[in-house]
Amino acid sequence: GKNDLSSVEMLNTNEKSRFYKKLLEKDDRHIIFKISELVPLVEDVHQVKFMYTLLNSSYRLGHINKYDRNKYMKEVLEKASKTTSCSHSIATYKIILKKSLEDGIIDNRKRYYLDREAEITHTSNAPFVKDIWMHIKMNTARIEGLELHTQNLEDRYQALSESLVKLIKAIRHKQSIEAAVGVVSAILNAFLLGIAGSAVPAVMSAPIGNIVDYSDLGHIKTVVGLVEDVSVND
């Protein structure tokens, strides 16, 4: 990768780099403006070295104070800790951290913190870690696909279940209607076929005529009990 190249090679291969363009362009403003615009453009440890040189030389020449030098250099180091993907870059970064500590730009606590961040970046870019992440992403995609399929099945099952409930209600309703009609038919047949002789005038008599609900046995017994004709009671 580009972090394995020397600083001279980096200049040759990064002629179109925004960082190097900004570094080399003529600027009549105060140096602090160029510095502040260069910080976000840092992409690797080689550019960190150029920033270190610019900041320290500007400080020694009195163009910036110690606070500004330390502030901008810390920002550069923070950004560079995310670029240490190869062994060469992390080794170079550790050297820069050591120099920054010696020059009073960072303290020991900050050094260990940035060193740890750089190690995390380096480890996360290791081939075996990338393979693990690739498999995790693949498995995640499969799980998400399975969850979507399961959700579709659940939706279909819910729709089917609701349809079955409606069908069962409709069948029960139909059966209930048929049962009611059957009761009335049976009663009517009983009157037409089962009642004979003196029962006919008895049926037409006032007590039998008082039967309102032929499905209510208690009601029927009460009314029929008022009729003395044996055939009707039977």
Side-chain angles (χ1 to χ4, degrees):
K2 66 180 182 179
N3 283 316
D4 294 320
L5 301 174
S6 67
S7 296
V8 175
E9 290 172 324
M10 284 298 298
L11 278 173
N12 292 332
T13 51
N14 283 277
E15 291 178 355
K16 296 182 180 180
S17 167
R18 293 172 61 200
F19 175 84
Y20 292 114
K21 278 188 175 182
K22 172 60 67 177
L23 181 63
L24 298 174
E25 74 179 10
K26 185 178 180 180
D27 194 338
D28 295 329
R29 300 174 300 170
H30 190 279
I31 190 65
I32 200 72
F33 292 104
K34 181 184 283 288
I35 290 170
S36 63
E37 291 170 359
L38 280 169
V39 172
L41 303 179
V42 172
E43 297 176 331
D44 56 57
V45 293
H46 301 287
Q47 294 173 357
V48 174
K49 288 183 178 181
F50 284 103
M51 282 300 296
Y52 199 101
T53 302
L54 176 63
L55 284 164
N56 250 355
S57 60
S58 297
Y59 169 64
R60 283 194 294 268
L61 292 171
H63 297 307
I64 62 174
N65 57 37
K66 186 176 182 181
Y67 173 83
D68 285 333
R69 181 199 70 169
N70 295 355
K71 172 180 175 292
Y72 286 112
M73 195 60 220
K74 285 176 184 177
E75 290 180 13
V76 170
L77 291 172
E78 288 271 5
K79 199 167 188 300
S81 68
K82 310 300 181 186
T83 69
T84 53
S85 57
C86 66
S87 298
H88 174 77
S89 62
I90 195 168
T92 303
Y93 186 78
K94 289 176 181 289
I95 293 171
I96 297 171
L97 286 180
K98 183 174 180 294
K99 175 64 174 169
S100 299
L101 181 65
E102 293 171 354
D103 289 345
I105 294 173
I106 58 174
D107 56 22
N108 217 28
R109 185 178 182 280
K110 189 68 173 179
R111 178 192 180 184
Y112 285 122
Y113 169 78
L114 291 172
D115 185 85
R116 178 60 180 162
E117 290 294 300
E119 287 285 0
I120 292 173
T121 300
H122 181 251
T123 302
S124 64
N125 282 275
F128 78 93
V129 175
K130 288 183 176 180
D131 287 341
I132 291 173
W133 276 113
M134 182 184 70
H135 287 298
I136 289 174
K137 288 179 180 178
M138 290 174 61
N139 289 334
T140 300
R142 290 173 182 170
I143 291 170
E144 289 174 349
L146 181 60
E147 289 177 345
L148 180 60
H149 181 65
T150 302
Q151 184 61 48
N152 289 336
L153 289 177
E154 289 178 353
D155 292 341
R156 292 178 183 177
Y157 172 78
Q158 182 64 29
L160 178 60
S161 177
E162 291 174 358
S163 297
L164 287 174
V165 169
K166 291 179 180 178
L167 179 59
I168 291 170
K169 286 182 178 179
I171 291 172
R172 287 177 177 173
H173 180 66
K174 183 174 182 295
Q175 290 174 337
S176 177
I177 292 174
E178 290 176 347
V181 172
V183 169
V184 174
S185 297
I187 293 170
L188 181 58
N189 287 330
F191 272 107
L192 294 176
L193 302 175
I195 301 176
S198 61
V200 174
V203 169
M204 304 304 294
S205 66
I208 295 298
N210 287 333
I211 297 176
V212 177
D213 184 0
Y214 294 105
S215 65
D216 186 347
L217 295 178
H219 169 63
I220 292 172
K221 286 180 179 180
T222 300
V223 175
V224 171
L226 300 175
V227 182
E228 296 179 355
D229 195 299
V230 177
S231 63
V232 174
N233 280 286
D234 291 338

